Amino acid sequence: MAEQRILGAVLAGGRSSRFGSDKALAVMADGRTLLDHAIAGLTPHVAQVVICGRNGGLADRPAPDMGPLGGLNAALHHAQNHGFAGVLTTGCDMPVYPAELPAMLIGESAAILKGQQLLGWWPVSLAGELDAHLATDNNRSIHGWLDRIGARVVDMEGLVLPNINRPEDLAGL
């Protein structure tokens, strides 16, 4: 069986309201941005990395400001249109991406890391389903989407990943 092509997507369209400035461009102690770290974490595991929800990247689908699901939807359709089997995602505020995570996530169905819903695996077969989900009258919560599709939850016991929501979170690293 041929190896499947996987798309990596950094979900970076948030408003960063709790952070106070563009979180993706916040600089860590090593001089690299959070966005740079997110890209570097995904790159070894995928054939291509796209940025979702930012100028110069994939625009949220079906409209701007859809939250992480708008970025995921854009990535799924990009993957579907370019021959990828699925999408591995991370958030721009997730500077650590465990090397063993893709092997635990990738499978027949969608999967997320317990406690980190943006660290996930999404087969391209979900593109139409996410279009339908976003077309309904709902709050676009990722939790509602996960319930709708019955996503698997992967538990990497003992793993605690930094998630940057406020400037003090970044300073604490």
Side-chain angles (χ1 to χ4, degrees), residues 6-48:
I6 298 170
L7 179 69
V10 179
L11 305 175
R15 292 193 181 110
S16 302
S17 55
R18 291 178 287 178
F19 196 78
S21 64
D22 189 344
K23 194 174 4 177
L25 299 181
V27 178
M28 293 186 61
D30 66 359
R32 294 170 46 210
T33 65
L34 285 173
L35 183 58
D36 290 337
H37 279 274
I39 293 167
L42 276 178
T43 297
H45 310 288
V46 299
Q48 177 187 3

Side-chain angles (χ1 to χ4, degrees), residues 56-173:
L58 298 180
D60 284 356
R61 180 185 169 127
D65 297 322
M66 298 288 295
L69 291 181
L72 173 58
N73 200 27
L76 279 171
H77 285 275
H78 178 85
Q80 187 175 53
N81 293 336
H82 292 89
F84 292 92
V87 180
L88 280 174
T89 56
T90 190
C92 69
D93 56 356
M94 298 295 302
V96 176
Y97 192 92
E100 63 276 16
L101 187 57
M104 297 177 77
L105 293 174
I106 296 171
E108 293 293 316
S109 62
I112 60 155
L113 179 62
K114 183 178 181 179
Q116 298 292 347
Q117 299 85 347
L118 298 187
L119 292 178
W121 162 250
W122 316 95
V124 294
S125 59
L126 293 172
E129 181 76 15
L130 186 49
D131 271 341
H133 180 73
L134 291 173
T136 63
D137 185 22
N138 67 68
N139 65 5
R140 297 188 306 269
S141 158
I142 195 156
H143 296 288
W145 167 243
L146 295 172
D147 289 346
R148 179 176 179 146
I149 62 171
R152 292 180 293 118
V153 178
V154 171
D155 188 356
M156 291 180 71
E157 211 169 303
L159 177 69
V160 178
L161 296 175
N163 189 353
I164 312 301
N165 288 311
R166 296 175 178 79
E168 52 270 23
D169 298 335
L170 182 60
L173 289 179

